Amino acid sequence: MATQEQIESFHRFATEQLRKGSHALSMSELFDLWETQNLTPEEYDENVAAIRASINDMLAGETGRDAAQVIHEVRTELNLPSQS
């Protein structure tokens, strides 16, 4: 989709969302929502493949890492104060 078409598509989408009462959404949130609903076929295929891989990992017993531990590691790495 050409840039001008994307702008027009987003404008229609954002206008419709606001008409439906989504006034609490920020511009960034509206754009993220529009972008999610307008993936290219390649982006869609990549997302499906990633989800399938995650499901297969889960079925094989891989449960990932604890989110709290990852957050702690990132905060430490960035020299941010600990969360209370």
Side-chain angles (χ1 to χ4, degrees), residues 31-49:
F31 181 74
D32 288 344
L33 187 57
W34 173 80
E35 196 171 41
T36 300
Q37 293 181 13
N38 290 277
L39 297 173
T40 66
E42 294 81 17
E43 291 168 329
Y44 179 84
D45 291 344
E46 286 175 19
N47 286 346
V48 169

Side-chain angles (χ1 to χ4, degrees), residues 6 16 32-33 40 49 52 55-56 69 72 76-77 84:
Q6 289 178 318
E16 181 66 16
D32 288 344
L33 187 57
T40 66
R52 285 186 178 143
I55 291 170
N56 289 338
Q69 180 62 34
H72 174 74
T76 301
E77 184 178 316
S84 304

Side-chain angles (χ1 to χ4, degrees), residues 13-66:
F13 173 81
T15 301
E16 181 66 16
Q17 292 303 305
L18 294 174
R19 188 186 67 71
K20 290 180 179 178
S22 300
H23 298 284
L25 294 175
S26 70
M27 182 74 154
S28 294
E29 292 167 325
L30 281 169
F31 181 74
D32 288 344
L33 187 57
W34 173 80
E35 196 171 41
T36 300
Q37 293 181 13
N38 290 277
L39 297 173
T40 66
E42 294 81 17
E43 291 168 329
Y44 179 84
D45 291 344
E46 286 175 19
N47 286 346
V48 169
I51 292 167
R52 285 186 178 143
S54 294
I55 291 170
N56 289 338
D57 288 346
M58 220 173 65
L59 292 173
E62 175 62 46
T63 58
R65 296 178 57 207
D66 181 63

